[in-house]
Amino acid sequence: MTTPLKKFNKLLGCSLLACSSLAVQAGEIPENITSADRVETSIGSLVYQNGVPTEATAQKVYDTLDFTRALNVFNNSFRGASALAIAKGLESAGVKDNSVAIFSELMDSNSIFLTANADTIYYLSVLDLTKGPIIIEQPPNGLGTINDMWFSWSIDIGKPGPDRGEGGKYLIVPPGYDENLLPDGGYFIAKSKTNRALYAARSFLVNNDPKPAADLIKKTMKIYPYTPGTVGTSIASALTGKVRLGRGGPIPETTFVELTGKSFNTVPPSDFGFFEMINENIQEQPATSYDPELTGQLAAIGIVKGKPFKPDSRMRRILTDAAEVGAAAGRSFNWRYAMAHPEWRYYEDSNWGNMLFEGGYNFETPPPMFDGKTGMFKPFHPTGARTLDSRSAFYFGYTLDSPAMIMRIPGVGSQYLMSFADSKNEIFNGEKTYKVTLPKDIPAAAFWSFTVYDNQSRSMLATPQRYPRAGSQSYPSPAAKANKDGSTTIYFAPKQPKGVDRGNWIQTMPNKGWFTILRLYSPKPSFFDKTWQPTEIELVD
C-alpha cells in the first residue's frame, strides 16, 4: 500500500531516506558530525587525531568547562554569598543571632551594605533555627520580609504582611520540623528552607523624627524560642497524642545593638574568597535548601555538602578568573543594562530602569497588574523560564527579596527606579555636576528620596555629607524645596552649586563613580500608568 507520504516523495523524485537531511550513502560519515584535524575556536585551536582530542586539547576543554561552571556558580549563587555576608557583617559589629541590629538614627555611609537607604529606621536580625522554631513579636508600623540564607522569600512582615502593619506574632519554622508540633493558631507561620534566616524590616519617621519609631521597636519587638504545646495549641490537638501540652517560660529580653554610624562590611568578595564563602554556606545549610541544578554546578567545581573544599593551584586560578568575570557580568548587567536588556528600562528611551519588572520577585513571571476599579489583581501566565540575567543583576547590587518590592498597587509599599548613566548615556563622573527634575505632583503619598551609591561597593557613597540623600523628608538632611512651577530639581555635584539649597544637593566625590536610586514610598497611580516621568539626569558642566 502506498502511503500519502510515499506518494509525495515519489512526486519529488526521491525516496523517503534520500529526501531526509540525514540521508547518507553506505560507509559515509556526514561532515557535520565529524571534527577536522584542527579547528579554530574562541578558546584557541582544538587538535584531533582521527576524531580523538589530543591531551592538550582535552585539557583546554576541561579548563573551559571548569571556568564555565565556576562562572555560572558566581552568577547563580551570589545571593547565597550575599546572605551569609550580611550575617557575618552583623556578627562582626557585635550582633549575635536572635538579637536585633537597629539604626535608630538611620543607616549612613559608614556601613558597607548593598544599596541601603538613608530614609528609614532599619532593624535586622539573623534567626537561629537550629534548635527549633523562633517567635517574633512584630512591632506595628513596620515593613519588611524574612528570607532564607539563599535570599528565597519566606514571608512578608509588617504592612505588606499578614499583620498589615498592626503588629503580631510570627512563627518561623526550620526545615524538617514536625508539623504535628505546630500550633493551631495565634501565629503567622512561615517555613524556612535553611536553618538560619534573615529578618529585615524598616520603620518610618514620625514628623521627620526617627526617635518615636525606634523607641516603639525597642519597646515591642521580641525574639524568642517557641515551646510546642503552649498558647496556640488546643487541648483537642493534645488529645490526638501527637503533641503534649506545654507551658512556656518567661520571655527573655531582646538584645538591641545600635549600628548607626558603625563601620562594617556585608558585601561578599569578588575574588577566590567568594567560593570559600559559598562553600561555608553550603556546609551550614541543608542540601535540600538549594535546587539540584545549582548543586550540580557547585559539585562540578568541588563544593559538595559534607566534603572539604580543597582546590588545587590549577582550580584556584580558574576560580579566581571566574570570580573576576562574574563580577564584570554583574557590573555589566547593571551599569550597561541598556546594551543587552533594554526591556529593563521603565520608560521608553530612558535610563530609569528596574530589572524586577521583567520577572517579578522570583525572576520568572512579571508582577501581576492591579485593577484599581475592582481592587483585584490580574496575574500574568507563568513563563516557566527564570530570567537569569535580571536575577544576577539584582543580587549583585541589592539585597533580600519579597513580592512587596515589586507590587503594582497604588498607595502600598515603595517603588524603585535606578539610573547609571546621564541623558547622553555617559556613566556619571564624580567630578562633574548633574541635575534631574521631578515634575510636580511627585507620585509618592508618603515621601520620596534619591540616594547616591558608590559604583565600587554598591553602598552609600562616603562623603562629608554622611547621608548621601535628598528628598521630601527633613531628616537627616534638609528637605528639598520645590521650584515655582511645582517641580523639584536635585543636583549631584562635588560642591554645592551656587544658588542651590542644601536640601536639593547630594555631594559626589572626584575620582568616584556613582549611581542613584529614586524611591517613591506609597506610590500613586501616575507612577504605574507612567503619566508622570522624571527627566533624565543631565550634565550641567
Side-chain angles (χ1 to χ4, degrees), residues 437-454:
T437 297
L438 305 181
K440 66 178 182 178
D441 299 324
I442 299 172
F447 62 95
W448 61 268
S449 74
F450 284 101
T451 308
V452 166
Y453 300 96
D454 189 314

Side-chain angles (χ1 to χ4, degrees), residues 72 203 216 286 451:
N72 285 333
S203 195
L216 182 62
T451 308

Side-chain angles (χ1 to χ4, degrees), residues 408-440:
R408 305 182 200 256
I409 313 175
V412 177
S414 51
Q415 287 295 335
Y416 311 83
L417 291 178
M418 304 82 160
S419 183
F420 300 88
D422 66 18
S423 58
K424 296 183 179 179
N425 294 320
E426 296 291 335
I427 300 301
F428 300 125
N429 185 328
E431 298 181 359
K432 298 182 178 180
T433 298
Y434 300 84
K435 69 175 181 178
V436 62
T437 297
L438 305 181
K440 66 178 182 178

Side-chain angles (χ1 to χ4, degrees), residues 36-87:
D37 291 342
R38 188 181 191 89
V39 180
E40 300 301 326
T41 73
S42 61
I43 65 171
S45 299
L46 305 181
V47 181
Y48 300 88
Q49 296 173 348
N50 295 322
V52 178
T54 63
E55 185 175 339
T57 291
Q59 188 61 58
K60 188 178 296 184
V61 171
Y62 292 147
D63 288 349
T64 302
L65 288 174
D66 284 337
F67 171 82
T68 302
R69 288 159 179 162
L71 179 59
N72 285 333
V73 163
F74 187 96
N75 287 329
N76 295 334
S77 68
F78 195 91
R79 52 200 170 111
S82 187
L84 182 58
I86 289 177

Side-chain angles (χ1 to χ4, degrees), residues 429-505:
N429 185 328
E431 298 181 359
K432 298 182 178 180
T433 298
Y434 300 84
K435 69 175 181 178
V436 62
T437 297
L438 305 181
K440 66 178 182 178
D441 299 324
I442 299 172
F447 62 95
W448 61 268
S449 74
F450 284 101
T451 308
V452 166
Y453 300 96
D454 189 314
N455 284 347
Q456 293 286 15
S457 66
R458 294 92 75 199
S459 303
M460 281 190 249
L461 183 68
T463 74
Q465 281 186 340
R466 183 181 171 191
Y467 296 97
R469 50 84 64 189
S472 56
Q473 296 186 147
S474 61
Y475 183 95
S477 57
K481 294 182 179 179
N483 301 317
K484 290 182 179 181
D485 64 358
S487 66
T488 304
T489 302
I490 302 298
Y491 288 80
F492 309 87
K495 294 182 179 181
Q496 185 172 348
K498 187 176 181 179
V500 174
D501 287 296
R502 168 62 184 85
N504 296 66
W505 166 57

